[in-house]
Amino acid sequence: MVFPVNTRHVNASNSIFTHLPATSGHFFSSTTSGQSSLSIRSHTCGELTCSHVGQEVTLCGWVQYLRQDLFVILRDFSGLVQVLIPHDESHRELKDAFSGLMVESVVKVTGRVRLRPEGQKNLNMSTGEIEVCAESLEVLNTCRRLPFEIKDFVKKSEALRMQYRYLDLRSSQMQYNLRLRSRLVMKMREYLCNLHGFVDVETPTLFKRTPGGAKEFVVPSGEPGMFYSLPQSPQQFKQLLMVAGLDRYFQLARCYRDEGSKPDRQPEFTQVDIEMSFVNAVGIMALIEGLLQYSWPEDKATISAPFPCMTYEAAMRDYGVDKPDTRFGMKLVDVSETFQHTQIEFVRDAIVQPGGCVQAICVPDGAKHLKGKDMEFLKQVARTQFNQEVDCMLVRAEGSIKSPLGRLILDTTRLQLLLKMSANAGDLLLIAAGAQERVRPLLGKLRLQCAELLEGRGVPVRDPSVFHFLWVVDFPLFLPKENEPEQLESAHHPFTAPMPEDAHLLYTQPHKVRGQHYDLVLNGCEIGGGSIRVHNAAQQLYILENILKEDPSLLSHLLEALDSGAPPHGGIALGLDRLVSIIVGASSIRDVIAFPKSFKGHDLMSQAPSLVPEEELRPYHISVLWPSAKNGQDDRP
Amino acid sequence: MVFPVNTRHVNASNSIFTHLPATSGHFFSSTTSGQSSLSIRSHTCGELTCSHVGQEVTLCGWVQYLRQDLFVILRDFSGLVQVLIPHDESHRELKDAFSGLMVESVVKVTGRVRLRPEGQKNLNMSTGEIEVCAESLEVLNTCRRLPFEIKDFVKKSEALRMQYRYLDLRSSQMQYNLRLRSRLVMKMREYLCNLHGFVDVETPTLFKRTPGGAKEFVVPSGEPGMFYSLPQSPQQFKQLLMVAGLDRYFQLARCYRDEGSKPDRQPEFTQVDIEMSFVNAVGIMALIEGLLQYSWPEDKATISAPFPCMTYEAAMRDYGVDKPDTRFGMKLVDVSETFQHTQIEFVRDAIVQPGGCVQAICVPDGAKHLKGKDMEFLKQVARTQFNQEVDCMLVRAEGSIKSPLGRLILDTTRLQLLLKMSANAGDLLLIAAGAQERVRPLLGKLRLQCAELLEGRGVPVRDPSVFHFLWVVDFPLFLPKENEPEQLESAHHPFTAPMPEDAHLLYTQPHKVRGQHYDLVLNGCEIGGGSIRVHNAAQQLYILENILKEDPSLLSHLLEALDSGAPPHGGIALGLDRLVSIIVGASSIRDVIAFPKSFKGHDLMSQAPSLVPEEELRPYHISVLWPSAKNGQDDRP
């Protein structure tokens, strides 16, 4: 696939194709594929090993270090290599050229690979056994400004990293993250397209606005008052593709969500979007397990399938959350029975309430490692985020308990409690009493906080190198609306099908209907969710109109489609940014996105969003409503 | 990768995972990969052949025909198969179920494959040697409404097709188009990622507005007056990725362009976006040739590489256009010399002008096939689109010429003209005199119009089944602005590097500088364009500031990046929609896009764009400027 320049027919002389090789000394690498194909280099820096000794190589890269005019460390995406600067008089000019180099300048070096002398090998460097004796040097570009050094150990502020993202991306960690992401996605495509017959279909991002879709960006069109919107997911399109008989669809779909300044969210993000016809939930789940196994990076801990599966009810009961991190215990335990005869008034009151309970978690060695201010912090979280009290009990060596409530607890209760919680000396018990809907999420939250606090004290709780996948299933199809609890809203979205044996309850007790929904959780993060969809038009209409009290005319095209021979179908969407960030162990999804926005939605490099003059808005028939007072706050550097 | 349901551990009974197989009779196909993996079907309709005779199969699909209660033709994406309805008394119920079926209903049929009786085989059907004897039927969904029949021969209006796109996509042509596109893209990714070490990097689509970027959609942010814009290409990001040392980037990039109602344009489109470091133009061109060869559909005429290469000047000279369709001749011929002593006043006047010329094309058999109204049409095109006169000369059998100018042309001139044009009896000559910049595009246009007219009369001119790729190179780097000809603008974009030997002319005669730009043309359509970029900050600044008279501070982040060790780099972008439409022979790119917009930018299915209430615009600090009078025009059905 590489064609020597002189075989290329050009209809006129003096074109770029006849001059280039002559004027710039460019040549093609002899390899017709690989990382140096079609390039002016012959090899990458990082690939050189003993096997190249004696070969002449041409390298292109950045000057990482220049040491005492003796050698240069050259860097490209693949790694570092040592280039020896010749010192004999015949190479005087070459030596001078090297010594004038500035760090991060871009050079082309030709030279011969040789073994480093014994004693000078560097086993910490993949190319540490060899060096390249420079024979020629071409400075391709200089580097004149550098707001920070391109060294992995140099700490930079997030704002500076974002402003100079093109420098930040030179770090080996960011190169690794972006390349791992690319490889992962490529393997996913191979699995879906080549192994399972999926069709990669692009769907529009200029779509119709969902009425009341407060999180949708609007895009003014050239028609007055008419707006597109940037969809939060291709949900309608993927279903319509199934109605269209496309059978198996997937897309790495760009999605948009305007959420203001939520931490670690991005206004645009990517999901692995999948939909299949003639499949059930078990089929989709097996597909995804296979997908992740197939595409899983080889240098990471292996994952085994099938993934464990937990009901929503079990997750809430044992972990107080619908996305449990199953890498560690500290499960919630209901100790209502233990306290049923308690003298402690507020505990008794709580139990007597309908849905009231006493629950606890046991933090192993918590009493040993957590300090008074940690307990205060936990109590503070309980109060501010859940409007709840929590009691911290330190289990002492002799089995006694240190707690404000300690003296109010009978010995039998105490022993029963310790037994039930499998608590040992040095453990910490966190106990809360109240309505189950509040106590569970509270203890679920405190469980995670305790893990973090312990890790902060050097106690390993969650192994960052293991990957615990978990399916959560049997979600309720509807939940009470937060502001009008007598009204139901979809737990996920209105297109999720009810469980077949619950379908009759739609018409009588819709709040009891479970959905054919499945969430995929990894190390306590929800990384995917999907469902079998409603494919019956009448059922979809009933759900929209009678249960959700929505205007079905807004979805008339979908309802018509379901009435036109819609196959049974279902799908899933995986959050790619989050998945990759967990795999590489990044603390933020910003570290797996080439050009992320700041938490305020700003691009700190190009300064987007920016002011647009009124006259440039005129074609869109909009004008800016300037608020009377400006509120400051900005995260630009 | 398929796990039997009973090995799945669920933490609670009565979940979807324990009931599904029991209640719905669903099962997994025994294949762990392929088009029926993880599905409730065992085979696709279209894959059944003699080799399946005797096997029990489960098919899912749509009822295509129902014939006299004897058999059903079942359709899925893979094709059609005949299902025999049993007629013995023991299958009474099954027979009744079949006879109640409506066309386009969705069914699951289990049955045994058998050879059709001799004489009943249908060799026009890929499954025409076999049929499936139905043993059970499950109606998965009914079809109640159908605005048009799903038969390939039923003609539908474009508006109806768009409104019911989910039905339109059921046609075998649209299924073919979308699947071919998906396969093509997959092969491209394999070539780039797996063979040449490219990294698939997603770049933002919420970006900073280009000042004066009239074709950029704006997206209001939550900050008053501040807007993102949807970029026309990831040009800046791909270059910044090179500065970041990413080395080889590609992306199937969604791009946006607000062009109002241009025919066969879409407000969002997809480009195969590529950028490489340490490469020259020849390298990029070889890469693209390899890319297209590797990914080219097997069922299409093969393409060979290297592709021919033509300079911009040669293209304009011979074809009157910078994207010549080289599938046919009818090249432009300069006949100024022939007419240098002409008596025809306006011809003489034209020649005398600076840059004046007489040029002609010879349309073989044009006089034979084209009618008087065709000539009138060509003259009309010349007048309205080019403000030029064109003379149509019919070459008669005896070598005489029929033309309004005929009697003004001397015999020697006539003979010289016929010789120079290689014109034969029955040919048509189109001659125009005037400034070269006008005559060339005019004749280039008429050349294409003549091809179309001849094809309309049944004369084959352009073979639709062959693929003529062509590189066009040596473009001028700058062109005079249309409205202020003394001012220069970029022929392509301001980041294209000058040809090295022309670089010194930047400072003296910038209009003479040629760029390191290359356009890829396929059958007369520009399907790609790229260049080697400016990687020197000072040169880029000079071009922006002194030649283009632009405010360089708007691109300060790019200029800073070039000053921070930018490698030499270049790239290309291929228009995927157009490329696929030419490969499949579609008349419009709408036929290779799942959910395209109408030529007015409307989604006729969901009715986007749509009105958004003022209160929902308030978070974005914008309000609608309603024009005083509404101008109607709408393409909604």
Side-chain angles (χ1 to χ4, degrees):
Chain A
M1 257 148 325
V2 179
F3 308 102
V5 171
N6 54 12
T7 68
R8 190 172 279 287
H9 299 288
V10 181
N11 291 15
S13 62
N14 195 26
S15 121
I16 45 173
F17 308 98
T18 51
H19 79 75
L20 257 185
T23 57
S24 61
H26 284 181
F27 68 92
F28 276 161
S29 153
S30 57
T31 47
T32 55
S33 65
Q35 294 180 320
S36 296
S37 58
L38 308 168
S39 170
I40 61 170
R41 69 172 170 247
S42 67
H43 293 78
T44 62
C45 296
E47 72 177 298
L48 297 180
T49 64
C50 301
S51 70
H52 297 90
V53 167
Q55 285 187 35
E56 190 184 85
V57 296
T58 298
L59 306 174
C60 293
W62 285 258
V63 176
Q64 178 85 3
Y65 307 103
L66 189 67
R67 273 197 195 134
Q68 303 141 11
D69 288 0
L70 291 175
F71 56 82
V72 160
I73 301 292
L74 199 63
R75 186 196 72 232
D76 66 15
F77 69 93
S78 70
L80 304 169
V81 73
Q82 179 165 309
V83 175
L84 204 72
I85 304 172
H87 274 72
D88 54 310
E89 201 49 39
S90 68
H91 286 97
R92 177 96 216 170
E93 239 175 271
L94 184 56
K95 183 179 176 240
D96 289 350
F98 268 106
S99 44
L101 284 179
M102 288 185 57
V103 163
E104 292 304 312
S105 291
V106 187
V107 298
K108 186 172 92 170
V109 174
T110 299
R112 207 164 284 280
V113 182
R114 71 168 200 192
L115 275 180
R116 294 199 198 176
E118 278 309 321
Q120 294 183 26
K121 296 193 176 172
N122 179 350
L123 299 179
N124 294 325
M125 194 173 171
S126 75
T127 63
E129 289 193 272
I130 57 99
E131 58 193 353
V132 176
C133 302
E135 284 157 18
S136 77
L137 168 72
E138 189 182 340
V139 179
L140 300 172
N141 210 348
T142 52
C143 176
R144 297 203 298 184
R145 56 188 323 291
L146 214 53
F148 52 80
E149 281 187 277
I150 314 299
K151 305 272 188 294
D152 289 345
F153 55 82
V154 174
K155 285 255 175 276
K156 289 119 334 200
S157 77
E158 171 96 2
L160 202 64
R161 287 180 58 198
M162 291 302 151
Q163 188 183 353
Y164 298 99
R165 187 61 163 178
Y166 47 87
L167 296 179
D168 183 47
L169 292 180
R170 288 185 189 166
S171 72
S172 60
Q173 182 65 56
M174 285 306 301
Q175 291 275 333
Y176 175 80
N177 292 359
L178 293 183
R179 283 163 199 276
L180 178 139
R181 180 177 176 139
S182 170
R183 274 194 307 274
L184 181 84
V185 162
M186 187 67 207
K187 297 285 278 179
M188 285 182 164
R189 292 178 185 282
E190 287 173 10
Y191 176 86
L192 292 168
C193 257
N194 298 349
L195 294 187
H196 289 280
F198 279 76
V199 186
D200 183 358
V201 181
E202 297 180 69
T203 57
T205 57
L206 292 174
F207 190 45
K208 184 193 174 83
R209 176 144 170 110
T210 310
K215 294 176 178 174
E216 286 178 9
F217 287 101
V218 293
V219 181
S221 77
E223 294 169 81
M226 306 291 266
F227 292 82
Y228 300 105
S229 99
L230 300 175
Q232 291 191 55
S233 91
Q235 183 63 34
Q236 287 187 43
F237 289 114
K238 68 202 279 196
Q239 292 194 240
L240 291 167
L241 285 171
M242 296 302 104
V243 179
L246 213 88
D247 203 61
R248 298 178 171 208
Y249 144 91
F250 89 101
Q251 182 185 196
L252 271 284
R254 190 70 59 91
C255 303
Y256 300 86
R257 193 163 42 200
D258 181 15
E259 294 190 303
S261 329
K262 276 209 182 177
D264 217 24
R265 289 285 179 99
Q266 288 285 315
E268 50 187 318
F269 58 98
T270 303
Q271 64 187 38
V272 184
D273 201 43
I274 290 173
E275 196 81 7
M276 271 176 100
S277 295
F278 309 116
V279 70
N280 56 33
V282 184
I284 303 270
M285 291 159 76
L287 179 84
I288 297 306
E289 287 164 353
L291 173 75
L292 288 164
Q293 283 195 303
Y294 183 88
S295 56
W296 203 251
E298 284 175 16
D299 61 340
K300 297 294 175 189
T302 54
I303 55 175
S304 60
F307 302 155
C309 196
M310 193 183 285
T311 63
Y312 169 79
E313 174 52 30
M316 294 304 296
R317 181 192 67 212
D318 294 345
Y319 297 92
V321 68
D322 61 358
K323 44 181 180 182
D325 189 339
T326 52
R327 286 177 299 172
F328 68 109
M330 298 194 210
K331 289 188 194 177
L332 277 61
V333 179
D334 192 300
V335 290
S336 306
E337 232 174 86
T338 309
F339 284 92
Q340 67 184 333
H341 304 300
T342 186
Q343 300 305 307
I344 312 169
E345 206 168 333
F346 77 94
V347 174
R348 212 175 41 207
D349 286 356
I351 299 178
V352 189
Q353 300 281 324
C357 65
V358 189
Q359 302 213 4
I361 59 172
C362 174
V363 184
D365 290 334
K368 217 187 286 176
H369 296 289
L370 300 188
K371 309 260 185 292
K373 63 171 183 181
D374 296 330
M375 319 280 174
E376 261 325 299
F377 170 74
L378 295 170
K379 287 180 178 169
Q380 200 57 35
V381 168
R383 272 180 216 126
T384 55
Q385 294 181 30
F386 297 88
N387 196 23
Q388 266 275 162
E389 290 297 322
V390 67
D391 190 42
C392 297
M393 295 186 181
L394 307 175
V395 183
R396 291 209 186 95
E398 68 280 18
S400 72
I401 275 174
K402 185 187 165 199
S403 151
L405 298 181
R407 56 184 177 83
L408 298 173
I409 297 177
L410 300 176
D411 268 3
T412 51
T413 305
R414 178 174 56 82
L415 288 172
Q416 226 180 312
L417 178 68
L418 291 177
L419 200 66
K420 188 131 198 190
M421 300 303 297
S422 309
N424 297 313
D427 291 353
L428 167 71
L429 296 182
L430 297 179
I431 305 190
Q436 184 177 278
E437 312 92 75
R438 269 226 307 261
V439 168
R440 281 177 169 184
L442 161 65
L443 289 179
K445 173 79 176 181
L446 295 185
R447 176 178 170 268
L448 294 174
Q449 296 282 10
C450 287
E452 208 170 308
L453 288 169
L454 284 172
E455 285 163 358
R457 306 255 174 269
V459 184
V461 180
R462 298 167 294 189
D463 184 344
S465 71
V466 302
F467 300 99
H468 278 222
F469 281 101
L470 174 74
W471 290 108
V472 179
V473 297
D474 288 7
F475 282 88
L477 191 52
F478 307 107
L479 289 173
K481 271 193 181 169
E482 207 152 320
N483 304 327
E484 323 165 57
E486 70 288 355
Q487 173 56 35
L488 292 177
E489 64 184 358
S490 296
H492 290 97
H493 59 55
F495 314 114
T496 301
M499 303 254 282
E501 74 270 36
D502 291 359
H504 66 282
L505 297 173
L506 278 179
Y507 310 96
T508 51
Q509 296 174 288
H511 60 281
K512 286 199 175 163
V513 177
R514 288 163 306 161
Q516 293 193 56
H517 181 93
Y518 31 86
D519 264 1
L520 183 59
V521 174
L522 170 57
N523 291 359
C525 290
E526 185 200 323
I527 58 152
S531 61
I532 299 301
R533 327 296 185 185
V534 175
H535 68 276
N536 178 290
Q539 189 179 67
Q540 185 68 72
L541 180 63
Y542 184 86
I543 289 173
L544 288 172
E545 206 167 24
N546 297 81
I547 298 180
L548 302 174
K549 317 284 186 204
E550 281 178 14
D551 177 1
S553 73
L554 299 167
L555 283 168
S556 58
H557 54 284
L558 187 72
L559 290 164
E560 282 182 32
L562 294 182
D563 236 350
S564 310
H569 61 286
I572 195 166
L574 305 181
L576 182 66
D577 307 297
R578 177 64 60 208
L579 173 63
V580 177
S581 75
I582 296 173
I583 292 175
V584 302
S587 58
S588 159
I589 60 170
R590 290 190 296 279
D591 285 346
V592 299
I593 296 172
F595 298 101
K597 303 280 191 297
S598 75
F599 80 102
K600 287 206 174 283
H602 292 162
D603 177 326
L604 301 182
M605 186 180 62
S606 73
Q607 303 288 310
S610 61
L611 286 170
V612 173
E614 284 282 335
E615 67 267 22
E616 294 189 14
L617 298 176
R618 218 161 288 146
Y620 299 107
H621 306 278
I622 55 170
S623 72
V624 176
L625 287 175
W626 294 100
S628 36
K630 202 184 175 257
N631 42 358
Q633 280 211 320
D634 207 307
D635 63 353
R636 295 167 199 244
Chain B
M1 258 147 324
V2 179
F3 308 102
V5 171
N6 54 13
T7 67
R8 190 171 279 287
H9 299 290
V10 181
N11 291 14
S13 62
N14 196 26
S15 123
I16 45 173
F17 307 98
T18 50
H19 78 76
L20 257 185
T23 56
S24 60
H26 285 181
F27 67 93
F28 277 160
S29 153
S30 56
T31 47
T32 55
S33 66
Q35 295 180 319
S36 295
S37 58
L38 308 168
S39 170
I40 60 170
R41 69 173 171 248
S42 67
H43 294 78
T44 64
C45 295
E47 72 176 297
L48 296 180
T49 65
C50 302
S51 71
H52 297 91
V53 167
Q55 285 188 34
E56 190 183 84
V57 296
T58 299
L59 306 175
C60 292
W62 285 258
V63 175
Q64 178 84 3
Y65 306 103
L66 190 65
R67 274 198 195 133
Q68 304 140 14
D69 288 1
L70 291 174
F71 57 82
V72 161
I73 302 291
L74 199 62
R75 186 196 72 233
D76 66 16
F77 70 93
S78 69
L80 305 168
V81 72
Q82 179 164 309
V83 175
L84 203 73
I85 304 172
H87 273 73
D88 53 310
E89 201 47 40
S90 68
H91 286 98
R92 179 93 216 169
E93 239 174 272
L94 185 56
K95 182 178 178 242
D96 289 349
F98 268 107
S99 44
L101 284 179
M102 287 185 58
V103 162
E104 292 302 313
S105 290
V106 187
V107 297
K108 186 171 92 171
V109 173
T110 299
R112 207 164 285 279
V113 183
R114 71 169 199 192
L115 275 180
R116 293 199 198 175
E118 277 310 320
Q120 292 184 26
K121 296 193 176 173
N122 179 350
L123 298 181
N124 293 325
M125 193 173 172
S126 75
T127 61
E129 289 193 272
I130 57 96
E131 59 193 354
V132 176
C133 302
E135 284 159 17
S136 76
L137 169 72
E138 188 182 341
V139 178
L140 299 172
N141 209 346
T142 53
C143 176
R144 296 203 298 185
R145 56 189 322 289
L146 215 52
F148 52 80
E149 282 186 278
I150 314 298
K151 305 273 188 291
D152 288 345
F153 55 83
V154 173
K155 285 254 175 275
K156 289 119 334 200
S157 76
E158 171 96 2
L160 202 63
R161 286 180 57 198
M162 291 301 151
Q163 188 184 354
Y164 297 99
R165 188 61 164 178
Y166 48 87
L167 297 178
D168 184 46
L169 291 180
R170 288 184 189 168
S171 73
S172 60
Q173 183 65 54
M174 286 306 303
Q175 291 275 332
Y176 174 81
N177 292 359
L178 293 183
R179 282 163 200 277
L180 179 139
R181 179 178 177 138
S182 169
R183 275 194 309 273
L184 181 84
V185 163
M186 187 65 208
K187 296 285 279 180
M188 286 182 164
R189 293 179 185 279
E190 286 172 11
Y191 176 86
L192 292 168
C193 257
N194 297 349
L195 294 188
H196 289 280
F198 280 76
V199 186
D200 183 359
V201 180
E202 298 180 68
T203 58
T205 57
L206 292 173
F207 190 45
K208 184 193 176 80
R209 176 144 171 109
T210 311
K215 292 175 178 174
E216 286 178 9
F217 287 101
V218 293
V219 181
S221 77
E223 294 169 80
M226 306 291 267
F227 292 81
Y228 299 106
S229 97
L230 300 175
Q232 291 190 57
S233 90
Q235 183 62 35
Q236 288 187 42
F237 290 115
K238 68 201 280 194
Q239 292 194 239
L240 290 168
L241 285 171
M242 295 304 102
V243 180
L246 214 87
D247 202 61
R248 301 181 166 205
Y249 144 89
F250 89 100
Q251 181 184 196
L252 271 284
R254 190 70 60 91
C255 304
Y256 300 86
R257 193 163 43 198
D258 181 16
E259 294 192 301
S261 327
K262 275 210 183 174
D264 216 24
R265 290 285 181 99
Q266 289 285 315
E268 51 188 317
F269 57 99
T270 302
Q271 65 188 38
V272 185
D273 201 43
I274 289 173
E275 196 82 6
M276 271 176 99
S277 294
F278 308 115
V279 71
N280 57 33
V282 184
I284 302 271
M285 290 159 76
L287 178 84
I288 296 306
E289 289 164 352
L291 172 75
L292 288 164
Q293 283 195 301
Y294 184 87
S295 56
W296 203 251
E298 284 175 15
D299 61 340
K300 298 294 174 187
T302 54
I303 56 176
S304 60
F307 301 156
C309 196
M310 193 183 285
T311 63
Y312 170 78
E313 173 52 29
M316 293 305 294
R317 181 189 67 210
D318 294 344
Y319 297 94
V321 69
D322 61 359
K323 45 182 179 181
D325 188 338
T326 53
R327 285 176 300 171
F328 69 109
M330 298 195 209
K331 289 187 191 176
L332 277 58
V333 179
D334 192 298
V335 291
S336 306
E337 231 173 87
T338 309
F339 283 93
Q340 66 185 333
H341 303 300
T342 187
Q343 301 303 309
I344 311 169
E345 207 168 332
F346 77 93
V347 175
R348 213 176 40 206
D349 286 357
I351 298 179
V352 189
Q353 300 282 322
C357 65
V358 190
Q359 302 214 4
I361 59 171
C362 174
V363 184
D365 291 334
K368 217 186 286 177
H369 295 290
L370 300 187
K371 309 261 185 290
K373 62 171 184 180
D374 295 333
M375 318 282 173
E376 262 324 299
F377 169 74
L378 294 170
K379 288 179 178 171
Q380 201 56 38
V381 168
R383 272 182 216 126
T384 54
Q385 294 182 30
F386 297 86
N387 195 24
Q388 267 274 164
E389 289 300 320
V390 69
D391 190 41
C392 298
M393 294 186 181
L394 307 175
V395 183
R396 292 212 185 93
E398 68 281 19
S400 70
I401 276 175
K402 187 187 161 198
S403 149
L405 298 180
R407 59 187 174 77
L408 298 174
I409 296 178
L410 299 176
D411 268 4
T412 50
T413 306
R414 179 175 53 82
L415 288 173
Q416 228 182 311
L417 179 67
L418 292 177
L419 199 67
K420 188 133 198 190
M421 300 303 298
S422 309
N424 297 314
D427 288 356
L428 167 70
L429 296 181
L430 298 180
I431 305 190
Q436 184 177 279
E437 313 91 74
R438 266 225 310 258
V439 168
R440 282 177 169 182
L442 161 65
L443 289 178
K445 173 79 177 182
L446 295 185
R447 175 177 172 268
L448 293 173
Q449 295 282 8
C450 287
E452 206 170 310
L453 288 168
L454 284 172
E455 284 164 358
R457 306 254 175 270
V459 184
V461 180
R462 298 167 294 189
D463 185 344
S465 71
V466 302
F467 301 99
H468 278 222
F469 281 101
L470 174 75
W471 290 108
V472 179
V473 297
D474 287 7
F475 282 88
L477 191 51
F478 307 107
L479 290 173
K481 271 192 182 170
E482 207 152 323
N483 304 327
E484 324 164 55
E486 69 288 354
Q487 173 58 32
L488 294 177
E489 63 184 357
S490 296
H492 290 98
H493 59 56
F495 314 114
T496 300
M499 304 253 282
E501 74 270 35
D502 291 0
H504 66 284
L505 298 173
L506 278 178
Y507 309 96
T508 51
Q509 296 173 288
H511 61 282
K512 286 199 177 165
V513 177
R514 288 163 306 161
Q516 293 193 56
H517 181 94
Y518 30 86
D519 264 1
L520 183 58
V521 175
L522 171 57
N523 293 357
C525 290
E526 186 201 322
I527 58 153
S531 61
I532 300 300
R533 328 295 184 185
V534 176
H535 68 275
N536 178 291
Q539 189 179 67
Q540 184 69 73
L541 179 63
Y542 185 85
I543 290 173
L544 289 171
E545 207 167 22
N546 297 84
I547 300 180
L548 302 174
K549 318 284 187 204
E550 281 178 14
D551 178 0
S553 72
L554 299 167
L555 283 168
S556 59
H557 54 286
L558 187 73
L559 290 165
E560 282 182 31
L562 294 183
D563 236 351
S564 311
H569 62 286
I572 195 166
L574 305 180
L576 183 65
D577 307 296
R578 177 63 61 207
L579 173 63
V580 177
S581 75
I582 296 174
I583 293 175
V584 304
S587 58
S588 159
I589 60 169
R590 290 191 294 279
D591 285 345
V592 299
I593 296 172
F595 298 100
K597 303 279 190 298
S598 75
F599 78 103
K600 288 206 174 284
H602 292 161
D603 177 325
L604 300 182
M605 186 180 63
S606 74
Q607 303 290 308
S610 61
L611 287 170
V612 173
E614 285 281 336
E615 67 267 23
E616 294 191 11
L617 297 177
R618 219 161 288 147
Y620 298 107
H621 307 278
I622 56 169
S623 72
V624 176
L625 287 175
W626 294 100
S628 36
K630 204 186 174 252
N631 43 357
Q633 281 208 317
D634 207 308
D635 62 353
R636 295 168 199 246

